[in-house]
């Protein structure tokens, strides 16, 4: 009996896997679909070179601040997705939003052999010794989002990070413009030892100082922890009868605090965050958040995979083939660009 259904259409993943297939075939067949992309063998060989896919599986170790944070969890998914494309087996060492726990995890990482590693430190200076051990063993180490140590003090292969001062300043500017450049604002910080949080705070301060009619009521850190953010904001809403705006160092804390505001009938407070994760993009579209800015988790984590493979397979040198510091900025998210931003995230591109 013949089926009335046509053949299943190739998915995006099938297409990309097909694009990275053997250079010896003039037509690319993906998962038995048999669709001809029209690539010549020479073109396929050049594509394989550009994507730097390893012929043998590479072993990589990754760690970020803590998978409780949605930004970190998305980064893990992005790294694993790009790892599959480039033939990299990734082992994850969760930082658990704790400098002590992450240090124990990285000590464990440093006791093993890897083709390359990538780390987002929970706090600057907390991982220097085990990271130096890996560097001394000849393992390329990619630093993601926040400094493991100042770049002049540690020989990481490259540092992939956004301009945190830009992110802090751009969201703060949007908030202060919305409240007419006068009133009260609170900044809820991430972990004080996190260089990304430090940059966001500098960005915030650089804008606030231009507005003499704006009063900063509080800058207590919540360490990226939504439970802490809720507790802090329950106190804020009791203590301060008038809060015009609030800047949060990430969206998770912003949305957790918004739930407290809603419960207290204080949704007139204009809030802004950082990361532009899907719930925040939706919140901006719906008006619950005024602004967020994309800290491109997919670009940072996926870029670390690409950089590690290029270092191992192509012999790309730090400071020569790859810059010592790569800026990975994303845009401020508005209602106009929110749908496209979501699509880019869904495909691990930003």
């Amino acid at each position: 009996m013949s089926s009335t259904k046509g053949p299943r259409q190739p998915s995006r993943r099938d297409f990309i896997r097909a694009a990275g297939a053997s250079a010896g075939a003039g037509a690319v067949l993906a998962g038995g679909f048999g669709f001809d992309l029209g690539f010549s063998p020479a073109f396929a060989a050049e594509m394989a070179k550009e994507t730097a896919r390893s012929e043998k599986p590479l072993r990589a170790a990754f760690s970020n601040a803590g998978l409780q944070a949605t930004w970190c969890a998305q980064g893990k998914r992005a790294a694993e997705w790009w790892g599959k494309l480039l033939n990299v087996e990734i082992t994850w060492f969760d930082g658990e939003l704790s400098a002590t726990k992450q240090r124990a995890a990285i000590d464990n990482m440093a006791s093993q052999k890897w083709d390359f590693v990538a780390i987002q430190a929970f706090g600057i200076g907390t991982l220097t010794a085990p990271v130096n051990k890996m560097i001394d063993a000849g393992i390329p180490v990619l630093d993601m989002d926040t400094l493991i140590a100042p770049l002049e003090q540690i020989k990481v292969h490259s540092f992939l990070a956004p301009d945190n001062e830009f992110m802090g300043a751009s969201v703060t500017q949007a908030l202060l413009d919305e409240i007419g450049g006068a009133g009260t604002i609170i900044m809820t910080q991430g972990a004080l030892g996190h260089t990304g949080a430090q940059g966001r705070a500098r960005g915030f301060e650089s804008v606030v100082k231009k507005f003499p009619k704006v009063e900063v009521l509080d800058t207590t850190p919540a360490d990226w922890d939504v439970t802490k953010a809720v507790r802090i904001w329950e106190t804020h809403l009791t203590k301060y009868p008038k809060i015009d705006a609030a800047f949060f160092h990430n969206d998770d804390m912003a949305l957790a605090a918004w739930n407290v505001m809603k419960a207290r009938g204080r949704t007139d407070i204009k809030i802004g965050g950082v990361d532009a994760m899907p719930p925040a993009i939706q919140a901006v579209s719906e008006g619950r958040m005024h602004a967020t800015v994309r800290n491109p988790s997919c670009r940072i984590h996926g870029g670390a995979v690409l950089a590690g493979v290029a270092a191992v397979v192509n012999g790309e040198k730090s400071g020569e083939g790859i810059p010592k510091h790569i800026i990975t900025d994303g845009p401020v998210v508005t209602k106009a660009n929110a749908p496209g931003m979501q699509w880019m995230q869904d495909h691990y591109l930003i």
Side-chain angles (χ1 to χ4, degrees):
M1 180 182 295
S2 63
S3 171
T4 58
K5 294 182 179 180
R8 182 170 71 85
Q9 292 301 307
S11 69
R12 169 179 54 85
R13 182 169 294 183
D14 298 324
F15 183 92
I16 297 175
R17 282 178 175 169
S22 170
V28 181
L29 306 178
F33 296 118
F35 59 94
D36 188 346
L37 299 181
F39 291 166
S40 69
F43 185 81
E46 186 64 23
M47 176 175 283
K49 177 182 176 182
E50 290 301 321
T51 56
R53 179 179 172 85
S54 177
E55 293 183 2
K56 69 178 184 67
L58 300 180
R59 294 183 68 247
F62 273 63
S63 177
N64 55 24
L67 296 177
Q68 303 101 307
T70 60
W71 187 91
C72 293
Q74 185 187 63
K76 180 177 185 289
R77 294 193 300 273
E80 291 170 344
W81 193 83
W82 283 98
K84 288 178 182 178
L85 290 182
L86 299 175
N87 204 13
V88 180
E89 297 173 354
I90 295 175
T91 301
W92 210 269
F93 294 79
D94 187 6
E96 299 186 60
L97 296 183
S98 164
T100 303
K101 291 179 179 179
Q102 188 180 41
R103 174 57 187 264
I106 303 306
D107 283 336
N108 181 15
M109 180 192 292
S111 71
Q112 303 176 51
K113 293 182 179 180
W114 308 99
D115 290 301
F116 66 93
V117 306
I119 297 170
Q120 177 208 24
F122 183 75
I124 188 170
T126 59
L127 307 174
T128 307
V131 169
N132 275 333
K133 179 180 178 181
M134 290 186 280
I135 292 171
D136 291 344
I139 298 172
V141 176
L142 286 307
D143 191 347
M144 302 186 296
D145 183 61
T146 186
L147 288 169
I148 295 170
L151 292 179
E152 66 274 12
Q153 297 178 19
I154 194 167
K155 295 181 180 179
V156 294
H157 189 69
S158 187
F159 175 46
L160 295 86
D163 182 339
N164 283 283
E165 289 192 35
F166 158 75
M167 293 197 298
S170 61
V171 175
T172 304
Q173 184 71 53
L175 290 170
L176 297 189
D177 287 346
E178 181 65 14
I179 66 173
T184 57
I185 188 170
I186 287 175
M187 173 172 63
T188 299
Q189 302 188 71
L192 295 182
H194 184 286
T195 59
Q198 293 167 6
R200 291 169 208 183
R202 288 194 299 271
F204 171 85
E205 291 160 1
S206 71
V207 173
V208 167
K209 70 181 182 182
K210 299 176 184 177
F211 291 85
K213 295 182 180 180
V214 170
E215 178 187 1
V216 178
L217 298 175
D218 190 272
T219 61
T220 301
D223 300 326
W224 316 116
D225 188 325
V226 295
T227 302
K228 287 184 181 180
V230 165
R231 187 167 61 247
I232 288 167
W233 270 87
E234 286 173 342
T235 300
H236 288 339
L237 294 175
T238 299
K239 183 176 181 180
Y240 302 111
K242 185 177 184 295
I243 305 169
D244 294 304
F247 169 54
F248 297 82
H249 281 194
N250 77 359
D251 296 328
D252 290 355
M253 296 188 297
L255 291 171
W258 186 86
N259 287 331
V260 181
M261 296 173 197
K262 182 181 179 182
R264 297 282 193 93
R266 299 283 295 275
T267 55
D268 57 316
I269 300 170
K270 303 299 181 183
I271 68 172
V274 173
D275 288 342
M277 294 296 294
I281 292 174
Q282 183 177 356
V284 170
S285 297
E286 295 173 353
R288 287 179 287 121
M289 286 184 69
H290 178 67
T292 185
V293 62
R294 180 58 178 161
N295 181 7
S297 179
C298 302
R299 184 178 288 172
I300 291 169
H301 288 79
V305 176
L306 288 164
V309 171
V312 175
V313 176
N314 293 349
E316 196 169 71
K317 301 296 183 183
S318 177
E320 297 176 15
I322 186 170
K324 192 73 172 179
H325 183 192
I326 298 174
I327 300 294
T328 58
D329 277 346
V332 175
V333 176
T334 65
K335 289 184 179 181
N337 67 9
M341 189 61 49
Q342 183 63 66
W343 185 90
M344 294 278 279
Q345 284 189 50
D346 290 344
H347 294 73
Y348 302 118
L349 295 174
I350 194 167

